[in-house]
C-alpha cells in the first residue's frame, strides 16, 4: 500500500470516526467500494438512529474531498469507478 493510499485511509477513518484497521481490511478497490465500506462500518459502529447517519451523497463528497487533498487530483476528475491505487500514482 502506497503512502497516499495509506493517508487516504487514515484521513477517512478519522473523518468518519471509524476503525482504520477494519476499513483497510475491507480492501476497497474503487472509490465506490470505499464509500460502501464506510457506510457499512458507520451503520455497525455508530449507535445513532438511521435518521442521524450521513447520507451517501454526504459521504461521497467528503471522500472525494479527502482523495483530492491527498493526491492533488481535482475533485471534478475523481469518479466512483476510479481505482484508488490509480489515483495515488
Amino acid at each position: 500500500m502506497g503512502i497516499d493510499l495509506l493517508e487516504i485511509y487514515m484521513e477517512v477513518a478519522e473523518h468518519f470516526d471509524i476503525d482504520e484497521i477494519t476499513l483497510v481490511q475491507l480492501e476497497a478497490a474503487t472509490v465506490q467500494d470505499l464509500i460502501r465500506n464506510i457506510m457499512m462500518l458507520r451503520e455497525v459502529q455508530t449507535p445513532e438512529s438511521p435518521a442521524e447517519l450521513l447520507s451517501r451523497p454526504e459521504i461521497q463528497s467528503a471522500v472525494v474531498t479527502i482523495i483530492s487533498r491527498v493526491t492533488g487530483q481535482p475533485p471534478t476528475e475523481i469518479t466512483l469507478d476510479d481505482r484508488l491505487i490509480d489515483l495515488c500514482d
Side-chain angles (χ1 to χ4, degrees):
M1 182 180 305
I3 297 293
D4 284 350
L5 189 54
L6 183 58
E7 189 173 340
I8 289 169
Y9 275 108
M10 288 172 28
E11 287 196 31
V12 164
E14 182 178 333
H15 181 85
F16 292 104
D17 194 29
I18 54 179
D19 182 61
E20 180 184 337
I21 293 171
T22 304
L23 184 61
V24 170
Q25 289 173 340
L26 292 174
E27 297 182 14
T30 65
V31 174
Q32 182 168 284
D33 293 339
L34 181 58
I35 292 167
R36 263 189 247 141
N37 292 346
I38 292 164
M39 291 180 70
M40 185 209 36
L41 289 172
R42 294 260 312 151
E43 288 174 10
V44 171
Q45 293 181 359
T46 306
E48 303 167 348
S49 71
E52 295 175 2
L53 290 173
L54 293 173
S55 69
R56 183 180 184 88
E58 291 171 316
I59 292 171
Q60 180 176 327
S61 176
V63 168
V64 167
T65 298
I66 290 167
I67 292 170
S68 175
R69 184 173 53 245
V70 171
T71 65
Q73 297 272 348
T76 55
E77 293 182 14
I78 298 171
T79 69
L80 295 177
D81 294 327
D82 283 337
R83 288 176 22 100
L84 292 169
I85 196 72
D86 294 339
L87 292 169
C88 296
D89 287 342

